[in-house]
mmCIF file with all atom_site columns, all heavy atoms in Angstrom:
data_model
loop_
_atom_site.group_PDB
_atom_site.id
_atom_site.type_symbol
_atom_site.label_atom_id
_atom_site.label_alt_id
_atom_site.label_comp_id
_atom_site.label_asym_id
_atom_site.label_entity_id
_atom_site.label_seq_id
_atom_site.pdbx_PDB_ins_code
_atom_site.Cartn_x
_atom_site.Cartn_y
_atom_site.Cartn_z
_atom_site.occupancy
_atom_site.B_iso_or_equiv
_atom_site.pdbx_formal_charge
_atom_site.auth_seq_id
_atom_site.auth_comp_id
_atom_site.auth_asym_id
_atom_site.auth_atom_id
_atom_site.pdbx_PDB_model_num
ATOM 1  N N   . MET A 1 234 ? -9.156  -3.086 -32.311 1.00 0.00 ? 234 MET A N   1
ATOM 2  C CA  . MET A 1 234 ? -9.362  -1.860 -31.553 1.00 0.00 ? 234 MET A CA  1
ATOM 3  C C   . MET A 1 234 ? -10.302 -0.917 -32.305 1.00 0.00 ? 234 MET A C   1
ATOM 4  O O   . MET A 1 234 ? -11.221 -0.319 -31.720 1.00 0.00 ? 234 MET A O   1
ATOM 5  C CB  . MET A 1 234 ? -8.010  -1.174 -31.318 1.00 0.00 ? 234 MET A CB  1
ATOM 6  C CG  . MET A 1 234 ? -8.101  0.176  -30.623 1.00 0.00 ? 234 MET A CG  1
ATOM 7  S SD  . MET A 1 234 ? -6.696  1.234  -31.005 1.00 0.00 ? 234 MET A SD  1
ATOM 8  C CE  . MET A 1 234 ? -7.030  1.632  -32.735 1.00 0.00 ? 234 MET A CE  1
ATOM 9  N N   . LEU A 1 235 ? -10.105 -0.801 -33.613 1.00 0.00 ? 235 LEU A N   1
ATOM 10 C CA  . LEU A 1 235 ? -10.918 0.108  -34.417 1.00 0.00 ? 235 LEU A CA  1
ATOM 11 C C   . LEU A 1 235 ? -12.381 -0.330 -34.407 1.00 0.00 ? 235 LEU A C   1
ATOM 12 O O   . LEU A 1 235 ? -13.289 0.509  -34.273 1.00 0.00 ? 235 LEU A O   1
ATOM 13 C CB  . LEU A 1 235 ? -10.389 0.133  -35.853 1.00 0.00 ? 235 LEU A CB  1
ATOM 14 C CG  . LEU A 1 235 ? -10.977 1.196  -36.786 1.00 0.00 ? 235 LEU A CG  1
ATOM 15 C CD1 . LEU A 1 235 ? -10.800 2.584  -36.207 1.00 0.00 ? 235 LEU A CD1 1
ATOM 16 C CD2 . LEU A 1 235 ? -10.332 1.119  -38.157 1.00 0.00 ? 235 LEU A CD2 1
ATOM 17 N N   . VAL A 1 236 ? -12.639 -1.626 -34.526 1.00 0.00 ? 236 VAL A N   1
ATOM 18 C CA  . VAL A 1 236 ? -14.021 -2.123 -34.475 1.00 0.00 ? 236 VAL A CA  1
ATOM 19 C C   . VAL A 1 236 ? -14.643 -1.807 -33.117 1.00 0.00 ? 236 VAL A C   1
ATOM 20 O O   . VAL A 1 236 ? -15.823 -1.430 -33.025 1.00 0.00 ? 236 VAL A O   1
ATOM 21 C CB  . VAL A 1 236 ? -14.059 -3.635 -34.755 1.00 0.00 ? 236 VAL A CB  1
ATOM 22 C CG1 . VAL A 1 236 ? -15.456 -4.206 -34.473 1.00 0.00 ? 236 VAL A CG1 1
ATOM 23 C CG2 . VAL A 1 236 ? -13.671 -3.914 -36.200 1.00 0.00 ? 236 VAL A CG2 1
ATOM 24 N N   . GLY A 1 237 ? -13.852 -1.929 -32.054 1.00 0.00 ? 237 GLY A N   1
ATOM 25 C CA  . GLY A 1 237 ? -14.366 -1.623 -30.724 1.00 0.00 ? 237 GLY A CA  1
ATOM 26 C C   . GLY A 1 237 ? -14.828 -0.184 -30.585 1.00 0.00 ? 237 GLY A C   1
ATOM 27 O O   . GLY A 1 237 ? -15.825 0.102  -29.909 1.00 0.00 ? 237 GLY A O   1
ATOM 28 N N   . PHE A 1 238 ? -14.127 0.747  -31.233 1.00 0.00 ? 238 PHE A N   1
ATOM 29 C CA  . PHE A 1 238 ? -14.532 2.151  -31.170 1.00 0.00 ? 238 PHE A CA  1
ATOM 30 C C   . PHE A 1 238 ? -15.632 2.484  -32.183 1.00 0.00 ? 238 PHE A C   1
ATOM 31 O O   . PHE A 1 238 ? -16.446 3.386  -31.939 1.00 0.00 ? 238 PHE A O   1
ATOM 32 C CB  . PHE A 1 238 ? -13.317 3.056  -31.415 1.00 0.00 ? 238 PHE A CB  1
ATOM 33 C CG  . PHE A 1 238 ? -12.416 3.179  -30.230 1.00 0.00 ? 238 PHE A CG  1
ATOM 34 C CD1 . PHE A 1 238 ? -11.173 2.559  -30.208 1.00 0.00 ? 238 PHE A CD1 1
ATOM 35 C CD2 . PHE A 1 238 ? -12.797 3.911  -29.118 1.00 0.00 ? 238 PHE A CD2 1
ATOM 36 C CE1 . PHE A 1 238 ? -10.338 2.665  -29.116 1.00 0.00 ? 238 PHE A CE1 1
ATOM 37 C CE2 . PHE A 1 238 ? -11.972 4.022  -28.014 1.00 0.00 ? 238 PHE A CE2 1
ATOM 38 C CZ  . PHE A 1 238 ? -10.735 3.396  -28.007 1.00 0.00 ? 238 PHE A CZ  1
ATOM 39 N N   . LEU A 1 239 ? -15.639 1.803  -33.312 1.00 0.00 ? 239 LEU A N   1
ATOM 40 C CA  . LEU A 1 239 ? -16.644 2.110  -34.330 1.00 0.00 ? 239 LEU A CA  1
ATOM 41 C C   . LEU A 1 239 ? -18.024 1.616  -33.936 1.00 0.00 ? 239 LEU A C   1
ATOM 42 O O   . LEU A 1 239 ? -19.032 2.244  -34.306 1.00 0.00 ? 239 LEU A O   1
ATOM 43 C CB  . LEU A 1 239 ? -16.246 1.475  -35.664 1.00 0.00 ? 239 LEU A CB  1
ATOM 44 C CG  . LEU A 1 239 ? -14.984 2.005  -36.337 1.00 0.00 ? 239 LEU A CG  1
ATOM 45 C CD1 . LEU A 1 239 ? -14.773 1.323  -37.678 1.00 0.00 ? 239 LEU A CD1 1
ATOM 46 C CD2 . LEU A 1 239 ? -15.048 3.511  -36.521 1.00 0.00 ? 239 LEU A CD2 1
ATOM 47 N N   . ALA A 1 240 ? -18.121 0.525  -33.197 1.00 0.00 ? 240 ALA A N   1
ATOM 48 C CA  . ALA A 1 240 ? -19.425 -0.044 -32.853 1.00 0.00 ? 240 ALA A CA  1
ATOM 49 C C   . ALA A 1 240 ? -20.300 0.942  -32.072 1.00 0.00 ? 240 ALA A C   1
ATOM 50 O O   . ALA A 1 240 ? -21.466 1.157  -32.442 1.00 0.00 ? 240 ALA A O   1
ATOM 51 C CB  . ALA A 1 240 ? -19.233 -1.352 -32.072 1.00 0.00 ? 240 ALA A CB  1
ATOM 52 N N   . PRO A 1 241 ? -19.808 1.585  -31.005 1.00 0.00 ? 241 PRO A N   1
ATOM 53 C CA  . PRO A 1 241 ? -20.655 2.561  -30.309 1.00 0.00 ? 241 PRO A CA  1
ATOM 54 C C   . PRO A 1 241 ? -21.050 3.740  -31.202 1.00 0.00 ? 241 PRO A C   1
ATOM 55 O O   . PRO A 1 241 ? -22.187 4.222  -31.132 1.00 0.00 ? 241 PRO A O   1
ATOM 56 C CB  . PRO A 1 241 ? -19.789 3.017  -29.136 1.00 0.00 ? 241 PRO A CB  1
ATOM 57 C CG  . PRO A 1 241 ? -18.831 1.894  -28.903 1.00 0.00 ? 241 PRO A CG  1
ATOM 58 C CD  . PRO A 1 241 ? -18.549 1.356  -30.266 1.00 0.00 ? 241 PRO A CD  1
ATOM 59 N N   . ALA A 1 242 ? -20.105 4.218  -32.034 1.00 0.00 ? 242 ALA A N   1
ATOM 60 C CA  . ALA A 1 242 ? -20.423 5.341  -32.920 1.00 0.00 ? 242 ALA A CA  1
ATOM 61 C C   . ALA A 1 242 ? -21.487 4.950  -33.942 1.00 0.00 ? 242 ALA A C   1
ATOM 62 O O   . ALA A 1 242 ? -22.393 5.741  -34.249 1.00 0.00 ? 242 ALA A O   1
ATOM 63 C CB  . ALA A 1 242 ? -19.156 5.808  -33.639 1.00 0.00 ? 242 ALA A CB  1
ATOM 64 N N   . PHE A 1 243 ? -21.403 3.745  -34.463 1.00 0.00 ? 243 PHE A N   1
ATOM 65 C CA  . PHE A 1 243 ? -22.331 3.297  -35.496 1.00 0.00 ? 243 PHE A CA  1
ATOM 66 C C   . PHE A 1 243 ? -23.713 3.001  -34.931 1.00 0.00 ? 243 PHE A C   1
ATOM 67 O O   . PHE A 1 243 ? -24.737 3.332  -35.539 1.00 0.00 ? 243 PHE A O   1
ATOM 68 C CB  . PHE A 1 243 ? -21.764 2.051  -36.185 1.00 0.00 ? 243 PHE A CB  1
ATOM 69 C CG  . PHE A 1 243 ? -22.619 1.510  -37.294 1.00 0.00 ? 243 PHE A CG  1
ATOM 70 C CD1 . PHE A 1 243 ? -22.866 2.269  -38.436 1.00 0.00 ? 243 PHE A CD1 1
ATOM 71 C CD2 . PHE A 1 243 ? -23.175 0.249  -37.208 1.00 0.00 ? 243 PHE A CD2 1
ATOM 72 C CE1 . PHE A 1 243 ? -23.657 1.770  -39.466 1.00 0.00 ? 243 PHE A CE1 1
ATOM 73 C CE2 . PHE A 1 243 ? -23.963 -0.256 -38.229 1.00 0.00 ? 243 PHE A CE2 1
ATOM 74 C CZ  . PHE A 1 243 ? -24.201 0.511  -39.364 1.00 0.00 ? 243 PHE A CZ  1
ATOM 75 N N   . PHE A 1 244 ? -23.761 2.402  -33.751 1.00 0.00 ? 244 PHE A N   1
ATOM 76 C CA  . PHE A 1 244 ? -25.042 1.950  -33.215 1.00 0.00 ? 244 PHE A CA  1
ATOM 77 C C   . PHE A 1 244 ? -25.750 2.996  -32.351 1.00 0.00 ? 244 PHE A C   1
ATOM 78 O O   . PHE A 1 244 ? -26.978 2.961  -32.242 1.00 0.00 ? 244 PHE A O   1
ATOM 79 C CB  . PHE A 1 244 ? -24.851 0.664  -32.415 1.00 0.00 ? 244 PHE A CB  1
ATOM 80 C CG  . PHE A 1 244 ? -24.619 -0.550 -33.262 1.00 0.00 ? 244 PHE A CG  1
ATOM 81 C CD1 . PHE A 1 244 ? -23.353 -1.093 -33.393 1.00 0.00 ? 244 PHE A CD1 1
ATOM 82 C CD2 . PHE A 1 244 ? -25.669 -1.146 -33.944 1.00 0.00 ? 244 PHE A CD2 1
ATOM 83 C CE1 . PHE A 1 244 ? -23.126 -2.209 -34.184 1.00 0.00 ? 244 PHE A CE1 1
ATOM 84 C CE2 . PHE A 1 244 ? -25.449 -2.267 -34.736 1.00 0.00 ? 244 PHE A CE2 1
ATOM 85 C CZ  . PHE A 1 244 ? -24.181 -2.798 -34.859 1.00 0.00 ? 244 PHE A CZ  1
ATOM 86 N N   . SER A 1 245 ? -25.011 3.899  -31.714 1.00 0.00 ? 245 SER A N   1
ATOM 87 C CA  . SER A 1 245 ? -25.677 4.846  -30.807 1.00 0.00 ? 245 SER A CA  1
ATOM 88 C C   . SER A 1 245 ? -25.398 6.307  -31.119 1.00 0.00 ? 245 SER A C   1
ATOM 89 O O   . SER A 1 245 ? -26.058 7.180  -30.560 1.00 0.00 ? 245 SER A O   1
ATOM 90 C CB  . SER A 1 245 ? -25.282 4.557  -29.357 1.00 0.00 ? 245 SER A CB  1
ATOM 91 O OG  . SER A 1 245 ? -23.890 4.734  -29.159 1.00 0.00 ? 245 SER A OG  1
ATOM 92 N N   . GLY A 1 246 ? -24.424 6.594  -31.994 1.00 0.00 ? 246 GLY A N   1
ATOM 93 C CA  . GLY A 1 246 ? -24.091 7.989  -32.280 1.00 0.00 ? 246 GLY A CA  1
ATOM 94 C C   . GLY A 1 246 ? -25.217 8.751  -32.957 1.00 0.00 ? 246 GLY A C   1
ATOM 95 O O   . GLY A 1 246 ? -25.324 9.969  -32.828 1.00 0.00 ? 246 GLY A O   1
ATOM 96 N N   . GLY A 1 247 ? -26.109 8.071  -33.667 1.00 0.00 ? 247 GLY A N   1
ATOM 97 C CA  . GLY A 1 247 ? -27.168 8.733  -34.421 1.00 0.00 ? 247 GLY A CA  1
ATOM 98 C C   . GLY A 1 247 ? -28.287 9.293  -33.571 1.00 0.00 ? 247 GLY A C   1
ATOM 99 O O   . GLY A 1 247 ? -29.156 10.019 -34.081 1.00 0.00 ? 247 GLY A O   1
#
Side-chain angles (χ1 to χ4, degrees):
M234 176 205 71
L235 189 56
V236 170
F238 283 108
L239 294 183
F243 181 63
F244 286 104
S245 63

